[in-house]
Amino acid sequence: MKAVEEHLLDLVRIPSVSRLSNRPIIDYVRAALGPAGWQFRELVYRDATDVEKVNLIAAPPGADVDQTAVDLAFVCHTDTVPFAASWDRATDPFIRDGHLFGCGACDVKAYLACALTAVLDPASAPLPQGLRMVLTADEEIGCVGTKKLMEADCIRPRRVLIGEPTSLRPARAGKGYCLAQVTVFGKEAHSAHPQQGASAIYAATELIAEIRRIAKSLELDRNDFFSPGFTTINVGTIQGGTAKNIVAGQCSFQLEWRPLPNQPQNAVAEQVRETSATLEQAWKGAIRYDIRVTRTQPGFETSASAQLVRRLESMSKKPAIAIPFGSEAPHFANVAEEVVVFGPGDMRTAHSERECVPTRELHAAVHFMQRLMQD
């Protein structure tokens, strides 16, 4: 049997950024589980650039992989974010000072390595028929694979353990993630005669000032299980104008917000639209605002008394937390009774040359997964 470190070293060596096919990762998992009698179901699609992507459902020996209702699913995405050319060891992993380094080491190939090790351990108890391993594609670019998996309605697990680096703390809640592109249309003119035009940049700053006011008002609706305990808003990028001596005819910015689970995903966008309509009236038709929502992902929250939450708290000796980053959990929360995000590693090292996972957490995660399967 391969040690968990060996699996993880193998997986990190396989480049799997989102623009590539995840087929090599799927093939690795099939090669590991197939000889042990596991059954597989692939759901294949092609992305916008015609690259093959694969979602995989794996069932233990004797189980029917086409059975929709199952008790426990270990869910893991297979893609990583792009890495800088300067990161010369991104796919050349190594172990140093008790940590394994490499691209995807903690986000989330460590979880996959742990799951493979847990289910292939010949010393473990017989695998339950209601267990599934679920591998998804394109999580890093909007949970695309998971959405397609849910649309296919081919699996309805009662409990789901989503792999993400949480330092082995069970995360039972997470904020949503929403994104909008805001474009402001004005009228160009020579800057020596500004009255002949209408500055889209000035109009954009007026709207951004109002967005900041909206953000402050959202701080009043709190859930202190989260940190920060309110819906946050951010203007991440802004572009506008064509030259220093031209009144800007167009300006655009990206607006993101992370709503609490109990808040409507479109609430912020609606407030911004209402505000922009008022500003348009003040500009007397010289300015037009266009707000186009490009992504809406809800939050999730599993009860503190849920069996999976309490079991992981008991095993890890760590209280449940809420995560500030996105995951596939909200999509599975639509069909599952209990969803928990859990895994080795710290997200604060991910997506960088510092990405690593403590090897002691790898072994602990294997142990926890085996105990969950025994339960």
Side-chain angles (χ1 to χ4, degrees), residues 76-356:
C76 179
H77 69 82
T78 56
D79 58 325
T80 70
V81 296
F83 52 86
S86 59
W87 188 0
D88 57 355
R89 301 206 65 176
T91 57
D92 181 20
F94 60 94
I95 299 174
R96 185 178 64 204
D97 298 330
H99 292 72
L100 193 152
F101 291 81
C103 181
C106 72
D107 186 19
V108 288
K109 292 180 177 180
Y111 179 91
L112 178 54
C114 292
L116 289 173
T117 306
V119 301
L120 291 171
D121 185 354
S124 64
L127 298 173
Q129 297 295 288
L131 173 70
R132 295 292 184 273
M133 284 184 61
V134 180
L135 275 64
T136 61
D138 291 338
E139 187 270 350
E140 296 288 4
I141 56 174
C143 299
V144 177
T146 307
K147 292 174 184 176
K148 292 184 179 294
L149 189 69
M150 295 296 99
E151 290 168 1
D153 193 26
C154 54
I155 185 167
R156 289 179 171 266
R158 184 181 177 192
R159 299 182 179 90
V160 179
L161 194 67
I162 304 282
E164 291 289 351
T166 66
S167 299
L168 298 184
R169 299 185 69 177
R172 65 174 183 85
K175 291 181 179 179
Y177 183 83
C178 304
L179 185 67
Q181 182 73 24
V182 180
T183 306
V184 186
F185 299 94
K187 182 180 179 182
E188 288 190 344
H190 195 292
S191 62
H193 300 282
Q195 69 276 13
Q196 301 298 317
S199 173
I201 290 179
Y202 281 170
T205 60
E206 289 179 358
L207 181 56
I208 290 171
E210 291 300 307
I211 289 171
R212 187 177 181 187
R213 179 189 58 77
I214 293 170
K216 292 296 291 184
S217 70
L218 290 172
E219 294 180 15
L220 300 176
D221 186 0
R222 300 187 65 90
N223 180 341
D224 288 327
F225 185 59
F226 294 86
S227 179
F230 50 85
T231 294
T232 58
I233 301 180
N234 181 55
V235 176
T237 64
I238 186 168
Q239 298 89 25
T242 55
K244 67 182 187 303
N245 58 352
I246 298 176
V247 174
Q250 186 170 320
C251 182
S252 63
F253 59 90
Q254 283 189 310
L255 175 68
E256 66 161 18
W257 62 100
R258 298 171 187 266
L260 294 171
N262 65 328
Q263 293 183 343
Q265 301 164 56
N266 62 349
V268 169
E270 290 306 311
Q271 290 186 67
V272 173
R273 286 193 177 102
E274 291 174 7
T275 300
S276 66
T278 301
L279 291 174
E280 282 183 358
Q281 291 178 357
W283 279 92
K284 299 180 179 179
I287 289 291
R288 180 170 65 86
Y289 296 93
D290 179 72
I291 294 94
R292 183 169 56 91
V293 176
T294 57
R295 181 174 173 183
T296 57
Q297 179 174 311
F300 82 101
E301 187 166 10
T302 298
S303 170
S305 62
Q307 184 178 358
L308 185 58
V309 173
R310 298 182 68 178
R311 190 73 178 102
L312 284 166
E313 286 182 322
S314 174
M315 289 191 298
S316 66
K317 302 296 189 293
K318 297 177 180 179
I321 60 170
I323 52 173
F325 53 84
S327 75
E328 296 163 303
H331 302 285
F332 281 93
N334 291 327
V335 298
E337 295 177 18
E338 304 175 12
V339 178
V340 176
V341 177
F342 183 82
D346 188 330
M347 186 62 87
R348 288 173 292 188
T349 75
H351 300 188
S352 73
E353 293 186 28
R354 298 178 293 107
E355 184 164 3
C356 64

